[in-house]
Amino acid sequence: MKPTASPKTYRVKSFGCQMNVYDGERMAELLAEKGITPAPEGEDADLVVLNTCHIREKAAEKVYSDIGRLVKAGDERGQKPLIAVAGCVAQAEGEEIMARAPAVSMVVGPQAYHRLPDMLDKAVRGERATDTDMPPIAKFDALPERRKIGPTAFLTVQEGCDKFCTYCVVPYTRGAEISRPFSDLVTEAHKLVEAGAREITLLGQNVSAWSGENETGHTVGLAGLIRTLARIDGLERIRYTTSHPADMDDDLIAAHGDTPKLMPYLHLPVQSGNDRVLRAMNRSHTAESYLRLLERFRAARPDLALSGDFIVGFPGETEAEFEDTLKIVDEVRYAQAFSFKYSPRPGTPAASMDGQVAKEVMDERLQRLQAALNRDQLAFNEASVGKTCTVLVERKGKHPGQWLGKTPWLQSAWFEADVAIGDLVEVELLEAGPNSLAARLREPVTA
Ligand code: 5AD
Ligand code: SF4
């Protein structure tokens, strides 16, 4: 087999959350700076970055099976690919990966990937390297400028989490909460808009905990940042995700009412509708306080679409406690939601709690919960029929002349028109399905 030469093509495979998608884009930019180009669709890459997620089970096993597949493809091709494992599995199990998978030459954690180019130089010389340091912020300073991007872009404003929900690995893999500085974010947002973005989603594991000093030296929260970004010409839409109910301040609620560029959509995980379970999860809110918080958001922005995350089968969850989750779903009527079976994560308190719930019970509860959430998602889409709204055109549809864009409420809308990617157009919503709506163009808002 040929020895590993300098790679000419790369592929970054990102799993899990949107922060990983952002990190994956930034790693791709670093590789592009070294003159490495994306491998054409369907072709093997010389360098593969597996940008992993550790939030739920089987993540590590998935990494090993992916590595196995890459090695096999390399054998068939007669050239070993260089393999880097990045992301949260790299952070949590880096040394084990190095020991178990000789085909991996680079292991790089989510706070250290700005050093990927140096590691790559070493890997080409046949040296293996692990970097799971957690220097706060350093990575952002070391990354190259944003290049041309699509109409929607992610901007990581905050990383890490101090909440320590008892089921969650994030505080261990991504570390303590840190906020990127205000001026860096404003600069990066300008760059994103210059590079073609018309919508920016501000990202953070606990994004509403962001705080910083604004241009006049005042400490501001996420709402202050949003209001400043809203003044950028050419930036039409702002979103943010993910939030914890404990960090939603009055100003953020007010921003939903007074900042038109902030889209009427809120992803606010509740996890469970039962107070004993919420306490065991260390969530620091009750079902009631969560509902009251939503009322305040809805008062500021009556057409707000709500989204949430749920876990079924947390250790000790009884049938009656699970039914409280169904009750809160009935009350909130989410426009969209994500629901998961509890997955014990090594090193988290919940993993060693008594009363682990049987898989069949979790399966059954998840099915019932998802039936309720799907019912509400369809109902939300149906209630949108007849509305006129803006849509940001994101991509072409399957049929000629068909386009897909997102409504302010993050629904996918399909329509036929003579438009281009990045156009912001006004449509009428005509017909609802469970995951999208059919629409008709009314008029272009801006070209
Ligand atoms: N098991 C199941 N779901 C989990 N989540 C986080 N940790 C776990 C776990 N151990 C879910 C939560 C969180 C979302 C990102 O993933 O619902 O909000
Ligand atoms: Fe994990 Fe809880 Fe932090 Fe979300 S708030 S990242 S669930 S610890």
Side-chain angles (χ1 to χ4, degrees):
M1 188 172 304
K2 274 195 261 167
T4 307
S6 274
K8 293 197 176 48
T9 60
Y10 71 83
R11 175 161 296 122
V12 178
K13 273 180 79 178
S14 287
F15 303 89
C17 68
Q18 289 154 326
M19 309 222 16
N20 259 15
V21 175
Y22 175 90
D23 291 345
E25 282 170 8
R26 309 287 339 238
M27 284 190 266
E29 287 165 359
L30 283 169
L31 299 174
E33 281 225 318
K34 282 188 86 76
I36 310 172
T37 55
E41 194 65 33
E43 277 182 31
D44 293 323
D46 301 336
L47 164 67
V48 179
V49 180
L50 299 172
N51 190 20
T52 59
C53 169
H54 202 230
I55 198 118
R56 281 172 292 274
E57 214 169 4
K58 305 221 172 79
E61 289 87 288
K62 205 165 152 9
V63 177
Y64 290 112
S65 66
D66 272 355
I67 294 167
R69 252 197 310 277
L70 289 170
V71 169
K72 194 158 164 270
D75 285 345
E76 282 161 15
R77 186 182 171 215
Q79 189 190 322
K80 284 194 285 187
L82 281 169
I83 303 175
V85 179
C88 292
V89 178
Q91 188 67 38
E93 300 182 18
E95 291 192 359
E96 207 181 317
I97 294 170
M98 275 299 191
R100 253 182 75 179
V104 172
S105 42
M106 291 157 278
V107 163
V108 62
Q111 306 297 1
Y113 64 76
H114 53 293
R115 302 195 193 122
L116 192 59
D118 292 341
M119 297 173 86
L120 186 59
D121 291 341
K122 283 195 190 147
V124 169
R125 296 198 298 268
E127 294 166 38
R128 304 173 83 208
T130 301
D131 193 338
T132 49
D133 271 6
M134 288 190 163
I137 302 292
K139 126 183 126 191
F140 294 105
D141 294 335
L143 291 170
E145 285 202 352
R146 310 303 311 256
R147 41 171 201 180
K148 182 128 188 67
I149 47 159
T152 63
F154 292 133
L155 173 55
T156 293
V157 305
Q158 179 279 338
E159 284 202 82
C161 184
D162 295 342
K163 289 283 178 284
F164 288 93
C165 300
T166 54
Y167 50 81
C168 187
V169 282
V170 165
Y172 311 95
T173 52
R174 292 264 176 172
E177 281 173 7
I178 48 155
S179 295
R180 291 181 64 193
F182 179 88
S183 58
D184 291 8
L185 295 170
V186 176
T187 304
E188 190 169 331
H190 274 284
K191 295 263 158 64
L192 287 169
V193 173
E194 278 160 28
R198 307 197 76 186
E199 172 179 301
I200 293 182
T201 301
L202 308 178
L203 295 181
Q205 255 93 32
N206 187 10
V207 71
S208 36
W210 182 88
S211 76
E213 235 178 62
N214 70 5
E215 66 275 33
T216 56
H218 290 97
T219 300
V220 291
L222 189 66
L225 177 65
I226 288 170
R227 289 201 177 92
T228 301
L229 298 184
R231 293 203 292 267
I232 299 177
D233 282 342
L235 177 60
E236 307 295 343
R237 290 174 157 195
I238 301 171
R239 302 179 184 276
Y240 64 92
T241 197
T242 287
S243 304
H244 186 288
D247 292 310
M248 310 304 279
D249 62 21
D250 294 349
D251 202 22
L252 189 57
I253 297 174
H256 275 276
D258 63 32
T259 308
K261 287 185 183 177
L262 180 57
M263 290 293 102
Y265 185 94
L266 174 64
H267 180 70
L268 192 62
V270 67
Q271 314 296 357
S272 164
N274 176 269
D275 290 345
R276 189 203 65 81
V277 174
L278 287 170
R279 245 188 336 271
M281 288 176 164
N282 191 32
R283 286 291 294 179
S284 79
H285 60 84
T286 61
E288 192 52 40
S289 67
Y290 175 84
L291 288 171
R292 244 179 277 126
L293 180 61
L294 291 189
E295 268 170 30
R296 291 170 59 212
F297 271 97
R298 278 180 161 153
R301 181 78 204 219
D303 69 340
L304 192 70
L306 290 161
S307 156
D309 290 346
F310 298 88
I311 297 176
V312 301
F314 185 79
E317 185 188 69
T318 64
E319 169 62 22
E321 288 169 343
F322 166 67
E323 285 172 11
D324 284 343
T325 299
L326 294 178
K327 269 190 215 141
I328 205 165
V329 167
D330 281 352
E331 254 182 81
V332 174
R333 301 277 166 182
Y334 290 92
Q336 240 191 45
F338 304 89
S339 48
F340 313 100
K341 287 184 273 187
Y342 168 70
S343 164
R345 309 311 298 131
T348 58
S352 52
M353 282 181 188
D354 290 339
Q356 299 286 326
V357 175
K359 186 183 166 300
E360 307 76 65
V361 175
M362 285 205 255
D363 285 338
E364 192 257 350
R365 287 182 189 166
L366 188 67
Q367 252 181 30
R368 284 157 69 200
L369 175 60
Q370 290 187 340
L373 293 169
N374 291 342
R375 170 204 69 196
D376 292 347
Q377 186 173 319
L378 179 61
F380 183 83
N381 289 346
E382 282 171 343
S384 307
V385 170
K387 278 189 191 165
T388 294
C389 64
T390 60
V391 161
L392 180 59
V393 182
E394 288 185 14
R395 61 181 167 90
K396 281 189 174 156
K398 279 189 223 107
H399 309 296
Q402 194 187 40
W403 297 88
L404 174 112
K406 292 275 167 59
T407 72
W409 308 282
L410 211 57
Q411 298 149 297
S412 294
W414 299 95
F415 58 97
E416 283 176 18
D418 184 15
V419 294
I421 290 171
D423 284 355
L424 193 65
V425 295
E426 197 168 273
V427 299
E428 183 186 345
L429 301 172
L430 298 176
E431 206 182 309
N435 298 312
S436 63
L437 291 116
R440 181 168 61 93
L441 185 75
R442 283 176 62 99
E443 61 188 74
V445 175
T446 50

